[in-house]
Amino acid sequence: MTGTIATRLLTAALVVIGSSMLVFVIMYVLPGDPVLQMLDGNATSPEAIEQVRKQLGLDQPFYVQFLHYFLHLLQGDFGVSRIDSSPVLPKILEHVPATIALTLISAAISVVVGTVLGVLSAIHRNGLIDMIARFVGLFGISMPTFWTGILLLLLFSIHLGLLPIAGSNGWKSLVLPGVTLGLVGAGMIVRMVRNTMLEVIREPFIVTLRAKGLAERAVMYRHALRNALIPALTVIGVMIGELLSGTVVVETVFARQGIGRILADAILSKDLPVVQGGVFFTAIIYVLVNYLVDISYSFVDPRIRRSH
C-alpha cells in the first residue's frame, strides 16, 4: 500500500508540472503581443517597447524562456504579473479559498442530489420519480453554466430578491454559484448511479438476499447502493475537474473573486505568469481530489483493500 501511495504521489507531481508546461506552450503560441497589452495602447516608441520586452525576457528564444520558467517553477517562484507587477503567488493564494469553497459546495450539491435522485430513479424505474430524476440529469448536463447562472440570477436575485446578485461575501453569495455548478455534477452522477443500481439489483447476490427475507430497504441501501457507488466515485473524480473548469465561467457571471475569475482576466491580457500560477494551483486541487477518490475505493470495496 505504501508503494502504491508513493507511486500515485509521483504521478500527481508529474501531472501538475506537465500541465503547467503545456499551458506555457499554449500561451506562447497564442496571437497577441503581451508587451502591447501591458502598455494598453499608450503611445510608446518602438525602442521603449523593445526595452520592456528585453526586461521581461521575451526577446529570448522559446527554449530559453521555457527553461527559465521551468527552473523558477521548481524553486516555487511564479514571478510577477505583467499587468500590475504584483507578485503572482500572494495574488493566487488570496483567491484560492474562494474557489475551494465554491468547488466544495458544488461538489456537495452534486453528490447529494445526484446520488439521491439516482437511487430513487432506479428503485422507481419508469415511474414519475424516474422521469423527474432523468430530467434533472439531462438538464444539468445539457444547459451551459452561464445560462443556468443567468436564469437563477433573474429568478432568485432580481425578481424574488432572496439572494445577492454578485460578490464573495457570506454564505448567501455561495448559494447561486454553487447550485449552478452543482447541477452539472448532479446530472453526471444521476445517470451513473441510476444505471449502476439497475445493474446491481439484478445481480445474484441481491436475489439471494431477498430470498433470505432481508428487508427491501436494507437490500437497496446497505448492499446495492454500496456496490453502485464504486463507479460513481470515478465520476466524482472527473466531476471535480469539470467543476474547477466551470469556476472560470461561474465566477465571471457572479463576479466572484476566485482563481477562475483571475484566470479569465489573465488569459484575455495574456498575463502568462498569472495564468501559469492559476493553472498550477488548480491542477494541485484536481490531483489531490482524485488522489483522495483513489484511496476511498478501498473503504467502499474491501476487495480493493485486501489486494494491496
Side-chain angles (χ1 to χ4, degrees), residues 119 122-124 197 200-202 206-225:
V119 172
I123 294 175
H124 303 280
M197 280 286 292
V200 170
I201 59 180
R202 290 194 291 264
I206 296 294
V207 177
T208 303
L209 291 173
R210 285 171 171 165
K212 289 183 175 180
L214 192 65
E216 185 67 16
R217 182 180 296 272
V219 172
M220 286 295 175
Y221 295 104
R222 187 183 304 171
H223 298 280
L225 178 58

Side-chain angles (χ1 to χ4, degrees), residues 135-245:
F135 172 78
V136 172
L138 183 62
F139 180 88
I141 295 174
S142 305
M143 292 293 287
T145 51
F146 72 88
W147 183 246
T148 304
I150 292 174
L151 291 179
L152 293 176
L153 279 175
L154 289 173
L155 177 61
F156 293 100
S157 297
I158 295 178
H159 290 296
L160 299 179
L162 298 176
L163 296 167
I165 295 178
S168 307
N169 299 319
W171 65 269
K172 288 186 176 181
S173 64
L174 271 173
V175 175
L176 293 184
V179 172
T180 301
L181 274 179
L183 286 176
V184 178
M188 299 171 62
I189 295 177
V190 164
R191 301 179 68 177
M192 176 59 72
V193 172
R194 179 185 185 274
N195 294 336
T196 308
M197 280 286 292
L198 290 176
E199 293 178 2
V200 170
I201 59 180
R202 290 194 291 264
E203 292 289 332
F205 78 93
I206 296 294
V207 177
T208 303
L209 291 173
R210 285 171 171 165
K212 289 183 175 180
L214 192 65
E216 185 67 16
R217 182 180 296 272
V219 172
M220 286 295 175
Y221 295 104
R222 187 183 304 171
H223 298 280
L225 178 58
R226 185 170 183 178
N227 285 272
L229 284 179
I230 297 174
L233 285 174
T234 303
V235 174
I236 292 172
V238 176
M239 178 196 70
I240 294 297
E242 296 285 340
L243 297 181
L244 286 172
S245 62

Side-chain angles (χ1 to χ4, degrees), residues 32-46 48-50 52-53 56 58 82-83 268-270:
D33 191 340
V35 175
L36 296 180
Q37 291 173 322
M38 286 177 57
L39 299 174
D40 197 21
N42 296 328
T44 308
S45 64
I49 293 176
E50 288 301 320
V52 174
R53 184 173 286 108
L56 296 174
L58 300 178
R82 293 176 180 174
I83 302 303
L268 291 175
S269 59
K270 208 174 180 182

